Amino acid sequence: MRTFFFFLLLPSIIPSQNLVVNPGFEDWNTPDLYYATMQNDAVKGWYDPGMNSSDFYKASPQGNENNMSVSIGGLMTAHSGSSFAGFLGKYGEDYREYMAGSLVSPLEKGTTYSVKFFLALGPGCYQGVKELGIFFGDSATINKNIHGEFTPQDFKLIPQVKIQDLDYDNYSGQWKEFDLEFTANGGEKNFVIGNFLNDAQSVIENPKTKTAGTLNWTYYYIDDFDVEPKNKKPIDLVLSPVFSTADIQPGKIYTSSVFSFVDGKSEWNESSSAPLLFIAHAMKTNPSLKLEIDWYTDGHDALADTRVHAISDFIAAHGIPATRISTHTQSPGKNEQPGVRFIFSK
């Protein structure tokens, strides 16, 4: 196997740094699945922290001419792509559904993050709550305190991000973009969105749109979730060797000597982010490119699999659909060294 090295001086750029794993819900385990509950781990990076399950939807090609999904809150189209998710904000006596997501890397202490997403009240609902929230933390804390049972309970988690004064004028069944902020305590690797107020605290408002339906529960759709640091500093890609967009061609195999992992961990050294950012940029520039990431290791262990998936998740989190990326781990051949290989194809 031949290894190609390229030397190039590049200007500083400010890349997208979305830390959410599978932000648009486009990466799911069963390609022909058009509805699933999050409890069965059908959607990469997303899960249910409580007893009650949020939902995943994908428009069926055999569905209807508007490419809509038949869902609990009524017919809906994804904000982008073909998939989106949904959860109950209030139903019955203190019944809730919460949807938890994962981040590519832990948040840094003192860093302020932009939290963006698209939200919609189900077109079949005639009422909505005035406030939802997002809690950032670790999965253990979230799972311990989120229950979502039918009986009244203590709502122990206090969301750091509040989605307040939800206005439903012409809003039912329509995507609305939210752009909020959160300053991290440090180490947060997960987040959960939902209604953190009990029934006595939850304020109900009726949509004024004429398209409001007849359902007496509040059901929400969510899509394109983005968490990234604000005031990002330019990343200097003056590295050697790195790839050139013009040099990246289908069928060739590329490596970079600046790419390395921390010993015994799936975290790479700081300088290693630049080649991955460049790869994401190159794939955005050429939407027909597909990428195979091969991690050559002396042993097929769990760490090797974790490492190659960490690379894939990082690139996908920077705006490249996971369907364009595949991963493999294998043993190096004769005269080959362990490490990562990037293989591009059409």
Side-chain angles (χ1 to χ4, degrees), residues 42-94:
V43 185
K44 181 178 180 180
W46 296 86
Y47 66 98
D48 277 301
M51 295 177 60
N52 307 313
S53 182
S54 52
D55 307 291
F56 162 79
Y57 302 101
K58 176 182 180 292
S60 169
Q62 290 80 33
N64 55 72
E65 60 182 8
N66 295 319
N67 202 32
M68 288 184 168
S69 296
V70 179
S71 58
I72 295 173
L75 284 174
M76 194 65 184
T77 303
H79 174 259
S80 69
S82 61
S83 305
F84 57 100
F87 63 94
L88 277 164
K90 185 180 182 303
Y91 176 75
E93 186 178 5
D94 275 331

Side-chain angles (χ1 to χ4, degrees), residues 91-121:
Y91 176 75
E93 186 178 5
D94 275 331
Y95 177 87
R96 304 286 185 274
E97 290 177 352
Y98 299 92
M99 187 181 343
S102 306
L103 301 174
V104 173
S105 58
L107 302 184
E108 298 179 4
K109 183 177 180 179
T111 298
T112 299
Y113 292 84
S114 169
V115 182
K116 300 179 182 180
F117 53 92
F118 287 84
L119 189 74
L121 178 70

